[in-house]
Amino acid sequence: MTVAVSIIVPCYNVAPYLDACLDSLVNQTMPDIEIICVNDGSTDDTPALLSAWAGRDSRVRVIDRENGGQGAARNTGMDVAEGEYIGFADPDDYVEHSMYARLLEEARRHDTDITACGYTGFSDHDGELLEKWSRSPAAGVEENVKSSSFHLNALWMRTDVVVWNKLYRKDFLNRHHLRFETSFRAAEDDVFCLMLLPHATRVAVIPDRLYWYRRQREGSISSSWDERGAPFMIAVERLMHATEYWKKVGWLDSGLAQGWVSQALRVYLLGQDYPLPQLSEAEWALLRARCRKWFAMVGNMDAFRSLGKWDFAFCRLLAAPPEGAGWLSRALWKFLSRCRGRRGRYYEVCWRLSLPEGREKTAALEIAAGEEHEDLNDES
């Protein structure tokens, strides 16, 4: 049987959720699929459950590997996939039985490299639907994503920076050598999306919520971010990685650079979904240095004026954090951080980034000492 869609499921210690996920996949309305389950060194009952599913349905393939993280597990699945298209499903989620048939129909109709759908967030605690974590993107088809100027309703922004609500043409991924960055053990979806979207000649989006996204699962990365704040440091690292890639292939002047920095700001700093990240003074010093470096790479700040008042204000703040602010200024910013909404966020970031005189140098020395210690550990 020819395979139209390969669905890759990275599995690590997900025994309580695996049956629901695989049941939704084997019961897809289209039969010509393969389900590649990559056991990433699980230590619970995951391997036994996968073996049982493979015994019941020949379309389920199980690959065992040493633990290397979700990105590495997905890469393993991509390397052996036989389908014309590739999709990803997380093992603690599940999908509508019509999901891949719908996405495949849309992909073939418009000859797209990437096709995306909506999704529904639900609570692991009681199954409650979470509109905050759901999305019904407006439908549309877009060509030459690289050249599209950034705006809030740009089609390539409607798809969200997740991989599991999409279908990808396999030869598109292989032709451009697109794989997950294995050095990132969290938020690797962001980098994957940042690096593949500009290559796409055509992208399609449908509004139907066909994917069920589990939230509030104890021990998950998303739950820890809800509680402690999204790791803006991680977001900046990912953005730096992608920007180096854009620079290498000549995309830095596209609308993507401005679009994605705005997305990072909205999710990690401007948005109200997460508290601000809890960083030490040394980490804030490192963050301000990386932000300055990123904006120096991008260059002209005028390109960010179209992002709106507060987005542009944050861009200017991150590009040129206050230097050597006195105690009076810092006290004022700390007081203004109590304001509601974006104004309060702006002044809190301003206060956090304005290290006391002399402290930035000390923080830099602490960071350098820590990085040297890590290098020595790596060499041993």
Side-chain angles (χ1 to χ4, degrees):
M1 179 182 71
T2 59
V3 177
V5 176
S6 298
I7 306 166
I8 298 169
V9 188
C11 303
Y12 177 72
N13 290 354
V14 286
Y17 308 99
L18 202 50
D19 283 344
C21 176
L22 291 181
D23 182 75
S24 72
L25 296 178
V26 300
N27 285 300
Q28 288 295 296
T29 55
M30 56 177 294
D32 48 340
I33 62 173
E34 64 173 354
I35 303 163
I36 304 173
C37 300
V38 183
N39 172 38
D40 192 36
S42 297
T43 57
D44 66 352
D45 291 336
T46 295
L49 290 172
L50 291 176
S51 178
W53 275 101
R56 292 199 295 269
D57 194 313
S58 61
R59 298 173 300 170
V60 177
R61 301 171 58 187
V62 178
I63 300 174
D64 294 304
R65 54 162 292 143
E66 293 183 1
N67 180 257
Q70 188 166 244
R74 286 171 172 161
N75 288 346
T76 297
M78 293 167 73
D79 289 342
V80 301
E82 297 179 359
E84 179 186 359
Y85 292 85
I86 289 178
F88 300 97
D90 283 352
D92 54 349
D93 300 333
Y94 61 93
V95 305
E96 292 291 330
H97 293 167
S98 62
M99 174 170 169
Y100 291 102
R102 293 289 312 283
L103 288 175
L104 181 64
E105 177 186 14
E106 196 73 9
R108 287 177 169 168
R109 175 186 300 148
H110 299 290
D111 191 27
T112 59
D113 293 318
I114 307 167
T115 308
C117 66
Y119 56 85
T120 302
F122 68 99
S123 172
D124 183 49
H125 298 155
D126 55 12
E128 178 187 1
L129 300 187
L130 304 172
E131 283 299 316
K132 174 182 176 181
W133 302 111
S134 302
R135 177 169 294 203
S136 298
V141 179
E142 186 170 14
E143 298 188 23
N144 196 9
V145 176
K146 172 191 169 184
S147 65
S148 59
S149 300
F150 173 74
H151 54 89
L152 291 180
N153 200 38
L155 186 140
W156 55 270
M157 288 298 294
R158 298 178 207 164
T159 66
D160 203 356
V161 286
V162 293
V163 300
W164 32 254
N165 68 329
K166 300 175 180 68
L167 199 63
Y168 308 88
R169 195 199 307 267
K170 187 178 72 172
D171 68 359
F172 160 72
L173 297 175
N174 290 342
R175 184 168 65 254
H176 298 291
H177 310 289
L178 294 165
R179 293 294 187 270
F180 290 87
E181 174 55 51
T182 57
S183 64
F184 297 143
R185 287 298 192 103
E188 69 277 6
D189 287 22
D190 296 42
V191 176
F192 187 73
C193 291
L194 287 169
M195 295 175 71
L196 70 85
L197 272 174
H199 285 294
T201 55
R202 190 174 292 110
V203 176
V205 177
I206 59 176
D208 310 62
R209 295 184 179 182
L210 303 175
Y211 191 95
W212 289 82
Y213 172 36
R214 190 183 302 271
R215 297 285 307 188
Q216 301 173 346
R217 177 166 73 85
E218 186 176 351
S220 69
I221 291 175
S222 60
S223 290
S224 67
W225 291 1
D226 290 345
E227 295 168 3
R228 299 196 296 271
F232 188 59
M233 187 76 78
I234 288 179
V236 173
E237 290 172 351
R238 306 306 187 259
L239 195 58
M240 290 289 293
H241 182 89
T243 304
E244 290 286 0
Y245 181 73
W246 297 340
K247 187 176 181 180
K248 174 183 173 183
V249 297
W251 292 336
L252 200 54
D253 293 332
S254 75
L256 288 170
Q258 288 74 42
W260 280 111
V261 73
S262 181
Q263 168 73 0
L265 289 172
R266 289 177 184 282
V267 172
Y268 298 107
L269 282 183
L270 286 173
Q272 304 300 308
D273 292 335
Y274 297 113
L276 276 176
Q278 301 301 304
L279 305 177
S280 67
E281 284 192 342
E283 289 170 327
W284 279 109
L286 178 60
L287 178 60
R288 64 181 276 161
R290 288 181 173 170
C291 286
R292 277 192 306 228
K293 181 179 179 182
W294 188 86
F295 280 98
M297 290 172 63
V298 173
N300 187 6
M301 285 297 297
D302 288 340
F304 294 95
R305 290 185 181 277
S306 63
L307 300 182
K309 172 184 175 182
W310 284 111
D311 284 24
F312 183 56
F314 266 78
C315 287
R316 288 193 302 172
L317 173 61
L318 295 172
E323 299 280 355
W327 68 268
L328 187 59
S329 295
R330 298 192 79 242
L332 176 62
W333 292 332
K334 187 173 183 181
F335 174 77
L336 291 173
S337 70
R338 301 174 184 174
C339 296
R340 289 174 172 264
R342 291 185 172 187
R343 178 181 295 274
R345 285 229 166 188
Y346 175 85
Y347 285 110
E348 182 170 0
V349 173
C350 199
W351 168 54
R352 297 285 187 185
L353 290 177
S354 60
L355 297 176
E357 189 173 354
R359 182 62 186 128
E360 183 172 12
K361 183 176 180 180
T362 304
L365 291 173
E366 291 175 3
I367 293 164
E371 290 178 345
E372 181 179 359
H373 178 69
E374 289 177 4
D375 289 342
L376 289 173
N377 286 341
D378 290 341
E379 291 173 4
S380 61

